[in-house]
Amino acid sequence: MTAREIPEEYVEGYAQTLREVAETGRRLDRDELDARRALGERAAESGLGLRAVVRAYLTETREQWPRTSAGSADRVLAAVGQAVDAVAEGYERAQRMAIRQEEAVRREFVDDLLHGRSDLGRLAARAERFGLRFSRAHSVAVAEGPDAIEDGDTISRTVENSLTARFTDRRILVASKDGRLVCIAPGEQLDVLHHFAKQAHAAAADILVAVGRPHPGAGGVVHSYEEALGALALAERMGLEGPVLYAADLLVFPVLGRDRQALVDLVRSALGPLEEARGGAEPLVETLRAYFDAGCVAAEAARRLNLSVRALTYRLERIHRLTGADPSDPLRRYTLQTAVIGARMLDWPAREI
């Protein structure tokens, strides 16, 4: 919109003010500045561009300039600066208010969506405003750091701006929730979630990102979100390393955890004999964990434990003697590895079971 297209109401009274300033040398008073701020707010609320509004004031200044005396130039320019500054202040104030209102609306929508406590029809209608269509499946990624992440802080702004710049045509929603940063994207668009994780890690150290599986509908968003939260909780409890965890890769853990007594029985049966070792069961359980995490490669497991390969081999032989199960035997290895996972979930042997 050009200066000429800006409605005259937004520069109302400005020409008269300039003439008075040129004649008297006075500065704009408080009421005049408040009036310019109010006009700036109205311009922002009407969707006018700030540059177009400023150009309108400069055009009006140029048109009025011949009517002022030569000696009043400094005074007129000072008044122009006051007026334009007041208009811009009002405009920016209206924009900040609009942004805060939009953030509040988005935060309320995200809360209702992820808590599943709103009418699905109304929720679907509100979702269109934020680019979500519940007719397709969505995945949810959640970023969690040592410090709370809030809307408008450096991390959330950096991540959201990067996603918006790269995926301008995608239907993505980024918002904070309970001190974490959440990204909701169509389930097949894994590149969006990968980029979200990458930018979250670039924005702050020690951030862990978990990604839920894609599920259809509004309830599917909630399901995927809960899976991501579950993956974060599991990572904290079991010391799983990121930087990105996928709920689809961790399904064995909730399966094992559904029958706690069966899991306790497995751990006691398979690993209980290790308590008879000198120094207790913990060093040997850690040995098994490192061995399995290293893909049963003795050299790599020894490196992770800061042991020699010979010392690691000796420990594996002790485990074989105590439990009767050979960690290198494929059939026995599965039982031992499942028991080691169970021990980590139960925090055994540090905690009695």
Side-chain angles (χ1 to χ4, degrees):
M1 181 175 286
T2 66
R4 283 296 181 189
E5 293 174 324
I6 297 293
E8 291 185 5
E9 63 184 280
Y10 294 103
V11 293
E12 183 180 358
Y14 178 62
Q16 178 63 32
T17 299
L18 289 183
R19 287 193 292 270
E20 292 179 5
V21 168
E23 293 171 2
T24 66
R26 71 175 180 84
R27 293 177 62 82
L28 273 64
D29 59 31
R30 179 176 297 179
D31 290 341
E32 288 173 320
L33 292 174
D34 286 344
R36 294 298 142 201
R37 293 187 186 99
L39 288 171
E41 289 185 18
R42 285 169 53 193
E45 292 166 356
S46 299
L48 301 178
L50 178 58
R51 288 187 296 177
V53 175
V54 170
R55 282 198 300 270
Y57 273 79
L58 297 179
T59 299
E60 188 72 12
T61 300
R62 188 166 54 251
E63 291 179 353
Q64 296 301 321
W65 196 266
R67 306 177 191 179
T68 64
S69 62
S72 63
D74 288 344
R75 293 174 295 190
V76 172
L77 288 175
V80 172
Q82 281 187 286
V84 170
D85 186 63
V87 169
E89 181 183 347
Y91 191 99
E92 291 170 354
R93 184 166 60 193
Q95 282 194 317
R96 287 194 298 270
M97 181 62 70
I99 290 172
R100 284 196 293 268
Q101 290 174 344
E102 181 68 18
E103 287 177 348
V105 171
R106 182 172 61 174
R107 192 178 303 113
E108 181 183 7
F109 168 74
V110 170
D111 285 344
D112 290 345
L113 173 62
L114 297 182
H115 278 127
R117 63 189 181 196
S118 181
D119 174 77
L120 288 180
R122 290 184 61 250
L123 202 59
R126 293 161 64 194
E128 285 289 338
R129 173 177 179 178
F130 299 101
L132 300 183
R133 290 179 178 172
F134 293 147
S135 58
R136 63 195 308 180
H138 288 83
S139 289
V140 180
V142 181
E144 182 178 61
D147 300 317
I149 304 173
E150 303 293 345
D151 283 332
D153 67 13
T154 302
I155 296 176
S156 60
R157 285 201 312 271
T158 299
V159 174
E160 184 171 9
N161 290 342
S162 179
L163 285 169
T164 302
R166 179 164 180 174
F167 304 106
T168 54
D169 59 339
R170 308 290 184 91
R171 293 177 172 268
I172 307 166
L173 177 59
V174 179
S176 68
K177 173 67 176 167
D178 297 333
R180 305 179 184 93
L181 193 62
V182 176
C183 177
I184 304 172
E188 74 280 3
Q189 296 179 8
L190 288 178
D191 55 335
V192 173
L193 301 179
H194 290 162
H195 190 70
F196 169 80
K198 180 180 179 181
Q199 294 304 311
H201 295 135
D206 300 325
I207 279 186
L208 182 62
V209 178
V211 181
R213 293 178 297 162
H215 299 283
V221 175
V222 179
H223 192 178
S224 184
Y225 172 66
E226 290 176 345
E227 286 183 340
L229 290 184
L232 290 174
L234 189 64
E236 181 179 4
R237 186 167 73 250
M238 300 191 63
L240 301 180
E241 297 181 355
V244 185
L245 300 173
Y246 293 91
D249 298 334
L250 304 175
L251 292 177
V252 65
F253 295 103
V255 169
L256 291 174
R258 283 174 189 159
D259 190 339
R260 189 180 188 279
Q261 188 54 53
L263 190 60
V264 169
D265 291 343
L266 172 64
V267 171
R268 284 175 174 167
S269 173
L271 302 179
L274 299 181
E275 292 184 301
E276 299 175 10
R278 187 169 56 185
E282 188 165 356
L284 297 180
V285 172
E286 285 298 322
T287 298
L288 283 173
R289 184 179 301 169
Y291 182 65
F292 294 135
D293 288 347
C296 299
V297 177
E300 174 60 19
R303 187 191 64 80
R304 295 186 182 192
L305 293 169
N306 293 318
L307 296 173
S308 66
V309 175
R310 182 175 180 180
L312 177 79
T313 303
Y314 174 70
R315 286 192 181 185
L316 294 176
E317 290 173 352
R318 287 180 65 196
I319 292 169
H320 187 185
R321 287 197 304 270
L322 290 168
T323 64
D326 183 359
S328 63
D329 179 82
L331 182 60
R332 296 298 185 93
R333 180 193 307 160
Y334 174 77
T335 301
L336 283 175
Q337 187 166 7
T338 305
V340 168
I341 294 173
R344 187 183 296 188
M345 294 177 67
L346 297 170
D347 196 23
W348 184 88
R351 180 179 300 176
E352 291 292 332
I353 57 175

